[in-house]
Amino acid sequence: MHRILNNTKGDRWIWLIVILLSVISLLAVYSSVGTLAFKQGKGAEIILMKHVFMMIGGIAIMYFSHKLDYRYYAGISKLLMIITVPLLLYTLFFGAHINGASRWIPIPGTGLSFQTSDLAKLALITYLARSLSRKQENIKDVKQSFIPIMGAVCLVFALIGPANLSTGLMLFGVSILLLIIGRISIKQIAVVCLAGAVLLAGMLTFGGRKGTHASRVKVFLHPELADKDQLFQANHAKIAIASGGVFGKGPGNSTEKNYLPEAFSDEIYAIIIEEYGLVGGVALVGIYLFLLYRCIKIVTKAPKAFGALLACGLSFSLAIQAFANMAVAVGLGPVTGVPLPFVSMGGTSILFTSVAFGIILSVSKDIEEPKTKKEKETDNSGPNKIIVGEISVA
């Protein structure tokens, strides 16, 4: 153990954040799985142990991911995209139909299901970071640079959106952010946004879940027109938050966990506020904000464009997902199926989140390592330099 700790590199604050989120996750999941355990005829401790093993596996994957030089991820980014697109197609037409959507592929012999959008996020962000960093010299070239990049963004969005629109929109937003940082022209970004809007309109008009999407937005905008069943989840989340008060009911004392669907996943933030109060809810928001702050520092100090873009894409993806989940819980957004990163109970989603953390730590590890004068001169003068506003990121 001492040897492992000595070999742990990267931003120490991010490691601390991971430990804090792990502890919060174990407490919140154990408190909120009672109903699930009853439905499955199992003890809550059995479900908790499964979650513990997933968390341990995630941290192990994070450790090995951060030990690998982040530049290797550029080499496998194309392979990830080649694997991801067929998997997304298969999921869209033949995936397991759970909670009204085909988002999962069962993993034979494990009892786990694999959500392909988790892999797609990792694949698209690494691919965009690689493409944008390598094409800086001809970044304005439509044929060589813009069309392949636009094609990748729109293709992944088109394959994720029909079954998981919220995740697709968040990934599309992160992609646009990377295009802006990667110096894609405003006109070309507008074209990407227009293409995304057309795809979105098509999903809302002809998609298999068009009724679900329209209903959720309508309920959010006009709750007075909705029936009790449509407002059930949102109302019980509000009851959980209101009954939590300033300091909460205490660990394990939530009552709304018996009513909220997916209390251990999508609505776990409401359970945390009910048990730990406003103090606990604000503290968790602060942890994610601090994570974003540390990641932005990594982005501004990264010695290579690929590392900066990679850390930026992954960190904003985690942060946007976290704030989307919390916004839904407190009634600031329509109901979605987005889990709280590294806190909600999950299977493969925890593992992919761990990979994202590991890659960010790998980039931060590269900042800490001493560089020779020659390396510094190469970094400052090489073609990988990107200037964003007043910030120069090599």
Side-chain angles (χ1 to χ4, degrees):
M1 179 64 69
H2 181 69
R3 185 178 178 182
I4 292 175
L5 291 175
N6 287 337
N7 289 326
T8 300
K9 306 295 182 183
D11 191 296
R12 300 295 179 183
W13 286 107
I14 293 182
W15 279 111
L16 178 60
I17 289 169
V18 168
I19 294 171
L20 285 174
L21 292 177
S22 300
V23 173
I24 293 170
S25 177
L26 294 176
L27 292 173
V29 168
Y30 183 48
S31 174
S32 59
V33 293
T35 304
L36 178 65
F38 178 77
K39 289 179 180 178
Q40 295 183 352
K42 301 177 180 178
E45 291 78 10
I46 295 175
I47 298 176
L48 176 66
M49 288 309 299
K50 181 180 177 181
H51 181 62
V52 169
F53 287 134
M54 275 294 174
M55 297 294 291
I56 293 173
I59 292 174
I61 289 175
M62 190 185 311
Y63 176 79
F64 289 111
S65 298
H66 107 286
K67 294 294 289 183
L68 185 64
D69 191 313
Y70 72 89
R71 294 173 185 85
Y72 287 107
Y73 294 103
I76 65 174
S77 60
K78 275 192 173 182
L79 178 62
L80 285 176
M81 284 295 292
I82 292 172
I83 294 173
T84 296
V85 171
L87 282 176
L88 288 174
L89 278 169
Y90 178 85
T91 306
L92 189 60
F93 294 104
F94 307 107
H97 203 70
I98 303 174
N99 294 333
S102 297
R103 303 176 185 175
W104 293 267
I105 297 177
I107 303 176
T110 64
L112 299 175
S113 52
F114 163 54
Q115 192 164 345
T116 47
S117 60
D118 292 327
L119 175 62
K121 284 188 283 187
L122 188 63
L124 182 60
I125 289 172
T126 53
Y127 177 79
L128 288 178
R130 175 185 182 273
S131 299
L132 290 169
S133 61
R134 293 194 174 187
K135 298 178 182 294
Q136 282 302 301
E137 292 184 347
N138 59 344
I139 196 66
K140 306 298 182 183
D141 189 295
V142 174
K143 184 177 181 181
Q144 296 297 323
S145 300
F146 176 65
I147 291 179
I149 291 172
M150 174 184 172
V153 173
C154 292
L155 177 61
V156 172
F157 178 52
L159 294 177
I160 293 178
N164 196 348
L165 184 59
S166 55
T167 299
L169 286 172
M170 284 187 287
L171 184 55
F172 188 83
V174 172
S175 301
I176 295 298
L177 176 66
L178 286 179
L179 297 187
I180 294 172
I181 296 175
R183 298 197 306 122
I184 296 290
S185 71
I186 297 300
K187 289 183 179 180
Q188 292 175 341
I189 292 174
V191 172
V192 178
C193 292
L194 179 61
V198 172
L199 290 172
L200 177 61
M203 294 173 200
L204 295 177
T205 305
F206 304 107
R209 303 192 74 217
K210 60 182 181 180
T212 302
H213 301 319
S215 174
R216 287 178 175 179
V217 174
K218 183 179 179 180
V219 168
F220 173 69
L221 295 177
H222 303 286
E224 71 279 1
L225 302 178
D227 57 39
K228 291 182 179 180
D229 290 338
Q230 291 176 316
L231 292 171
F232 182 85
Q233 183 171 340
N235 283 343
H236 278 280
K238 292 175 182 177
I239 292 171
I241 292 169
S243 61
V246 177
F247 299 105
K249 296 179 177 179
N253 292 326
S254 167
T255 55
E256 291 305 312
K257 64 186 178 184
N258 299 317
Y259 301 98
L260 277 170
E262 306 294 326
F264 48 84
S265 179
D266 300 347
E267 296 291 343
I268 199 166
Y269 186 63
I271 302 301
I272 290 172
I273 296 178
E274 184 181 7
E275 294 188 346
Y276 300 95
L278 179 63
V279 173
V282 171
L284 188 55
V285 171
I287 290 173
Y288 281 110
L289 284 174
F290 187 62
L291 169 65
L292 184 59
Y293 165 73
R294 296 304 303 178
C295 290
I296 290 174
K297 289 198 72 174
I298 293 170
V299 171
T300 57
K301 293 181 180 180
K304 291 288 183 179
F306 174 68
L309 291 166
L310 188 59
C312 179
L314 292 174
S315 60
F316 272 94
S317 175
L318 292 172
I320 291 173
Q321 181 178 330
F323 293 127
N325 175 280
M326 293 186 286
V328 169
V330 299
L332 294 179
V335 174
T336 64
V338 179
L340 193 58
F342 223 70
V343 173
S344 295
M345 189 181 80
T348 53
S349 63
I350 290 177
L351 303 183
F352 281 105
T353 301
S354 300
V355 173
F357 271 118
I359 296 174
I360 294 170
L361 287 166
S362 179
V363 177
S364 70
K365 181 184 67 175
D366 188 60
I367 297 171
E368 294 178 354
E369 293 175 352
K371 296 160 79 172
T372 65
K373 183 178 179 181
K374 183 177 179 180
E375 286 176 326
K376 289 182 179 180
E377 291 173 354
T378 302
D379 288 345
N380 291 333
S381 60
N384 284 332
K385 189 175 182 181
I386 297 179
I387 299 176
V388 185
E390 300 296 324
I391 300 175
S392 176
V393 180

